[in-house]
Amino acid sequence: MPLIIAGERSGVGKTTITLALLSWLKNQGKSIQSFKVGPDYIDPMFHTAITGLPCRNLDPILTSEDYIKSCFSYHSQQADISIIEGVMGLYDGVPTHTSFCYGSTAHIAKLLQIPVILIIDCSKLSTSIAAIIYGYVNLDLEVRIVGIILNKVGSEKHLSLLKEGLKICSIPIVGIWFREKYIELPSRHLGLIPTEEITLHKQIFKQLGILAENSFSWDILMPYFQEKKNYFTNKLVINSSHFTPQKKYNIRIAIAKDKAFNFYYQDNFDILESLGVELVFFSPINDDKIPDNIQGIYLGGGFPEVFASELVKNITMIKSLKKAINSGIFTYAECGGMMYLSEKIIDFESKSWEMVGVLPNIVMMDKKLTIGYRKGKILVKNKLFKNTIILNGHEFHRGKNYQDSNSPIIEIKDYYTQQILSYQGWQIQNIYASYLHIHFANIIPQIKIFLEEIL
């Protein structure tokens, strides 16, 4: 049976402990399909680096409950073990008319009927842990918490006090992580530093695997992983339409992918390939030019502000990209991709870097993080969006435009409050660019229409 690794709040060590769990299981020769609740790009990179299988995001706000069920079931059945890393605190989601925690880890646990292992940061707790565990276990009995992991335990004495408090909860401790042995993963302004930039990440994974050997109660955990067959027989039915190859369009799309541009959902790639699109990856940092014989360009998010000096030095790539865009090739750019197409990026040290320059925009890096689910109303019809539709998306950036677009293509509202936050984005020539990240599962009809047009 699959397991969800959840936290009682953000910052309790979910990712580090999940990676340790994945590392140890991988060392045992298991094939592991991992998942991440929510829209995050970076944590899944770490999962993938360990398991060798693309981590999948489970986000009903960006996709749908039906898609979550199908995605989880389809990909899990191709591996020995499935593990889901939660997001934020167990019940942290978006209140809707149907749920106070829609999109949360608890929501996914109920939707997929998967038991939860809850991580507690014990650094400032002793016997009061009983009240926390009791509340989490009893708030919603459909969310089945089957074990807890005690993280950042200070000493054996501290551990004995925690155990004393837990006696009234009747829930097993499946892991104990002491503070002095805890491994912190390097981070910066948008969270963890991606694995591609950490030269010693394999060494870190090895250390985590060694710690996991003695930090988990494997006699309690392993029986869950051995119940896989019964779980998939009885629990979920795959909607195969999400994964069945569609009409072959025989189109080549160039996708920017390197350490500056790596914010992509693997599902987006899979959806394009299922439609017969050939994905041709290129590096704006390392390659001399964009790929030949392409009908589209896809520039995802990432860290162009961090690698601005390397991007600027690749003059031949900038000329090649600019020439292709000016020739009319359709270009879709999200967040970092949009920043790269702008005139300039002004970094955190106020240093200015000349970018591709096909968008009349200057991006300044700001200390304030813009983050959250969004409702994006398409204002301008284009090849990708023929009609005025509403997109569910996500913003995650510290970039701030020097001035707003004179002809914005999208109205951005906060998903929860419905407050208008901005009018943004550019449609110049065949460029479609904004800060909004989207998952392609909910726009497959629009993608098909788009592919028909550019054939």
Side-chain angles (χ1 to χ4, degrees):
M1 177 178 290
L3 283 175
I4 293 180
I5 309 301
E8 38 97 10
R9 69 191 69 163
S10 293
V12 300
K14 284 191 307 296
T15 299
T16 301
I17 288 175
T18 300
L19 296 180
L21 184 63
L22 295 175
S23 295
W24 188 86
L25 289 168
K26 184 65 176 177
N27 290 340
Q28 310 311 303
K30 303 292 185 182
S31 63
I32 312 159
Q33 178 60 63
S34 70
F35 300 85
K36 172 67 181 178
V37 180
D40 183 54
Y41 291 104
I42 300 176
D43 289 356
M45 297 180 199
F46 281 80
H47 289 211
T48 299
I50 292 173
T51 67
L53 294 175
C55 177
R56 307 286 171 168
N57 289 74
L58 302 177
D59 193 320
I61 295 175
L62 296 185
T63 60
S64 66
E65 290 186 335
D66 180 56
Y67 184 82
I68 296 303
K69 291 178 181 179
S70 300
C71 176
F72 180 78
S73 185
Y74 179 82
H75 293 293
S76 287
Q77 292 194 55
Q78 302 176 52
D80 297 327
I81 293 172
S82 299
I83 293 175
I84 302 173
E85 180 189 344
V87 61
M88 300 175 68
L90 178 59
Y91 288 97
D92 291 330
V94 179
T96 67
H97 67 282
T98 59
S99 169
F100 80 96
C101 60
Y102 194 87
S104 67
T105 306
H107 178 192
I108 298 300
K110 292 174 67 173
L111 184 67
L112 301 178
Q113 301 177 54
I114 297 175
V116 173
I117 302 294
L118 186 67
I119 301 172
I120 308 293
D121 180 347
C122 303
S123 58
K124 297 179 182 180
L125 282 175
S126 63
T127 51
S128 290
I129 192 174
I132 295 174
I133 296 300
Y134 183 85
Y136 273 95
V137 169
N138 290 284
L139 179 62
D140 187 340
L141 296 180
E142 290 186 58
V143 179
R144 192 160 63 96
I145 300 175
V146 297
I148 62 170
I149 295 172
L150 306 179
N151 192 21
K152 299 185 181 180
V153 178
S155 63
E156 290 293 342
K157 178 183 177 181
H158 186 199
L159 178 60
S160 68
L161 291 170
L162 293 167
K163 287 182 175 179
E164 197 64 34
L166 288 169
K167 284 181 179 178
I168 67 169
C169 296
S170 300
I171 188 166
I173 299 171
V174 301
I176 299 170
W177 289 73
F178 285 92
R179 193 180 307 158
E180 72 274 10
K181 295 182 179 179
Y182 189 72
I183 297 174
E184 293 283 355
L185 298 169
S187 62
R188 63 169 172 240
H189 60 281
L190 290 182
L192 295 179
I193 296 177
T195 53
E196 191 171 350
E197 298 176 51
I198 306 173
T199 56
L200 298 177
H201 72 270
K202 290 184 179 179
Q203 183 178 335
I204 293 173
F205 297 155
K206 183 178 179 181
Q207 292 174 334
L208 287 172
I210 292 170
L211 279 176
E213 178 77 40
N214 298 314
S215 298
F216 291 119
S217 299
W218 294 105
D219 58 325
I220 300 175
L221 287 174
M222 288 307 292
Y224 286 102
F225 299 134
Q226 293 164 358
E227 297 177 17
K228 175 183 171 182
K229 184 175 180 180
N230 291 335
Y231 171 81
F232 285 104
T233 299
N234 300 325
K235 301 291 184 183
L236 296 176
V237 176
I238 301 174
N239 180 349
S240 59
S241 65
H242 292 306
F243 308 100
T244 303
Q246 307 290 315
K247 177 180 178 180
K248 298 298 183 181
Y249 288 93
N250 297 317
I251 289 170
R252 284 165 53 93
I253 292 181
I255 300 177
K257 196 168 189 299
D258 56 21
K259 61 184 179 180
F261 302 98
N262 47 28
F263 283 14
Y264 295 98
Y265 297 122
Q266 179 64 38
D267 287 14
N268 284 5
F269 294 158
D270 293 348
I271 287 167
L272 290 174
E273 288 186 319
S274 76
L275 294 171
V277 176
E278 181 183 352
L279 310 184
V280 189
F281 296 98
F282 72 99
S283 169
I285 291 178
N286 299 314
D287 293 336
D288 294 333
K289 61 185 182 67
I290 63 170
D292 296 326
N293 188 28
I294 57 170
Q295 290 76 48
I297 301 170
Y298 179 6
L299 299 165
F303 298 99
E305 71 278 11
V306 175
F307 301 102
S309 63
E310 295 178 64
L311 291 167
V312 166
K313 288 177 184 176
N314 196 347
I315 297 172
T316 58
M317 171 57 73
I318 289 175
K319 287 182 178 178
S320 172
L321 187 57
K322 186 180 291 188
K323 181 180 178 180
I325 291 173
N326 288 337
S327 74
I329 289 180
F330 182 86
T331 303
Y332 173 66
E334 289 184 347
C335 200
M338 180 202 70
M339 293 163 62
Y340 180 49
L341 295 182
S342 298
E343 293 176 0
K344 297 178 183 178
I345 293 177
I346 300 174
D347 66 20
F348 290 105
E349 277 121 33
S350 299
K351 188 170 182 178
S352 179
W353 303 94
E354 300 283 341
M355 292 287 118
V356 178
V358 292
L359 297 179
N361 183 40
I362 297 174
V363 180
M364 300 178 295
M365 301 311 297
D366 192 70
K367 292 181 179 180
K368 182 181 178 182
L369 176 63
T370 299
I371 185 172
Y373 288 110
R374 304 291 188 243
K375 289 278 189 181
K377 181 180 179 181
I378 302 300
L379 302 175
V380 179
K381 294 180 181 180
N382 53 72
K383 285 187 176 181
L384 183 57
F385 301 111
K386 294 292 185 182
N387 301 308
T388 303
I389 64 172
I390 305 296
L391 299 172
N392 285 348
H394 186 261
E395 281 192 283
F396 181 55
H397 58 90
R398 292 189 189 271
K400 184 178 180 181
N401 294 339
Y402 183 75
Q403 63 181 34
D404 294 330
S405 171
N406 292 328
S407 301
I409 62 171
I410 188 166
E411 175 194 83
I412 300 291
K413 288 184 178 181
D414 179 78
Y415 183 88
Y416 170 52
T417 66
Q418 296 297 299
Q419 176 185 356
I420 295 176
L421 301 177
S422 67
Y423 290 91
Q424 61 168 269
W426 280 267
Q427 182 182 345
I428 297 174
Q429 300 183 82
N430 274 329
I431 303 170
Y432 178 89
S434 77
Y435 278 114
L436 192 68
H437 295 283
I438 59 175
H439 195 293
F440 291 174
N442 276 353
I443 62 165
I444 292 176
Q446 286 76 24
I447 293 175
K448 287 181 179 179
I449 293 172
F450 162 69
L451 294 176
E452 291 277 3
E453 182 162 320
I454 68 172
L455 267 175

